[in-house]
Every structure is written in C-alpha cells, then in structure tokens.
Amino acid sequence: LPAGSAFLAFGPGDKLRIVLNSVTNGEAGLIIKDRDGKSGVNLGVSPEAVGMRLEDRNGTTRLGLNVSPNGDAFVALLGADAKARASMNVMSDGLAMLLLADRDGKSSTALGSSPGGERSLSFMDRGMTRAWVGLLPNGDPTIRLAGQDGKSRVGLTVASNGGPGLVLLDNDGDCR
C-alpha cells in the first residue's frame, strides 16, 4: 500500500472485517474483526514499538503485547473493565518482572529479578511495598516488613557466613 492509504474488507451485512493501513510517518497497522465487527486483533508497527491487542466481544482490549525498539518486551492481561490485572516485563538489560493488580488495577504483588542478581517477591498495599522476600545479589536471603506508611519496620536476614540478622526500626527509622 502507498503511504497514507488503507485497504478495507467488508463481510456479510457490510460489516467491516479487515483494515490494512500505511501511514506516512512509518506506521502500519492491521485490524481484523469478527463477523459481527466487534472483537478482534489489532497489529501495529511504529517507530516507537511493535504491538498487538486482542479484544473481547465488547471491543475491550483484554491482552496487549508490545516490543520496543531497544528490545524491552511487555505483556498485559486486562479485565473486562480494561484495567490491567497482570503484566510481565522483560527488559533488554535483563530485568524481568511479573506484576499482579487488585480489582481496582492497583499493583498488589510483584515477582522479579534484577540485572544485578537480586530476586524478590513483594506484596503491596495502596501503592506501597508492605512485605518483601528476596535474595540479595550476594545470595543472602532477606525479609523486610513495612508499616502502613511504607516505612521499613522489621528486617531479617541470614548472612553468607550463616550469621542471623534482625533489625527492628521505629517510626523514625531508628534501630530499636
């Protein structure tokens, strides 16, 4: 297709089924709809990303896939209300994360690994990490617990030499 043009295909009852377009800024897209013209697949390529969306019978995006020019990959699962419920990111630098959200779409649980070797499981409440379990880059297992304000209150670790560590903090972050 020449830049700035589109190909349209219609099904029975003149329902739009396929759209193939080419835009002058380097974008291109393909949309495929079901026989009722509702649910479908959207594929797109732009200078910013390559992506795909899957829609339910109401036309709501329920699955999104995206790869950026630098290689970052992203997958999102959305509820019927179009709020993200689960996402997975794999960044080009090696960071990987699985994120789960509550019914309001707010982050609630994260599982991840960093390029530096830290691996962790976090539980969040109202946007703040309240509990964190992980392995530090040196392999030391660690648990951190925070108050409702998100400030750390308890830290527990086992050092690489086998020694235990327990830290209790007050509201000001001072050791007790």
Side-chain angles (χ1 to χ4, degrees), residues 117-137:
E118 184 177 275
R119 296 166 303 264
S120 65
L121 174 63
S122 301
F123 299 96
M124 292 149 286
D125 181 40
R126 293 176 296 210
M128 292 179 278
T129 299
R130 298 288 310 279
W132 184 94
V133 178
L135 289 175
L136 299 176

Side-chain angles (χ1 to χ4, degrees), residues 119 132-144 154-167:
R119 296 166 303 264
W132 184 94
V133 178
L135 289 175
L136 299 176
N138 67 0
D140 292 355
T142 303
I143 298 172
R144 287 184 231 144
V154 177
L156 177 65
T157 191
V158 177
S160 55
N161 66 6
L166 174 64
V167 176

Side-chain angles (χ1 to χ4, degrees), residues 2 8 19 25 44 48 82 111 152 161:
L8 307 176
V19 176
N25 67 357
E48 292 81 35
L111 176 64
S152 290
N161 66 6

Side-chain angles (χ1 to χ4, degrees), residues 2 8 16 29 31-33 38-39 41 49 60 65 69 85 87 90 94 99 108 136 138-139 144 150 153 163 166:
L8 307 176
L16 183 62
I31 300 170
I32 304 171
K33 295 288 186 177
K38 294 186 178 186
S39 61
V41 177
T60 303
L65 304 163
R85 294 292 189 269
S87 65
V90 179
L99 188 62
S108 64
L136 299 176
N138 67 0
R144 287 184 231 144
R153 296 290 191 267
L166 174 64

